[in-house]
Amino acid sequence: MQGVLVTVADIMVSTDFAPTELHSNVGPTFEFYDFTMEKASKLHQLIGLCEDAMVYFPQLGGDNSVYWLLKKMPDV
């Protein structure tokens, strides 16, 4: 999980949100994310969120990536 969090945090803080404003980098909100009680497990929902984010942040995918690590994690 550490490999996932470090990479996501690095991508977030190095991404410009509003390049014309001071302190314009993206950052984590540290809000609680309530996973739904669908048939999909929490892991599969997390993988789906990563797939959605890869449209905007392609560096989340590929070999030894966040997506790759999530696919290797055990389902809980």
Side-chain angles (χ1 to χ4, degrees):
M1 194 65 192
Q2 185 263 347
V4 171
L5 294 175
V6 166
T7 305
V8 170
D10 182 48
I11 292 169
M12 289 179 76
V13 299
S14 63
T15 300
D16 285 336
F17 180 68
T20 59
E21 297 179 22
L22 186 62
H23 306 296
S24 60
N25 290 26
V26 176
T29 62
F30 298 106
E31 293 178 36
F32 176 77
Y33 184 84
D34 193 13
F35 289 97
T36 63
M37 299 305 290
E38 300 173 347
K39 291 180 182 178
S41 68
K42 291 178 181 181
L43 176 61
H44 286 101
Q45 291 178 58
L46 187 59
I47 290 169
L49 290 168
C50 184
E51 290 170 341
D52 293 344
M54 284 190 318
V55 172
Y56 305 100
F57 303 98
Q59 61 269 46
L60 291 172
D63 291 337
N64 296 318
S65 66
V66 169
Y67 184 71
W68 179 81
L69 286 170
L70 289 175
K71 300 280 278 184
K72 295 180 89 41
M73 290 178 64
D75 200 355
V76 292

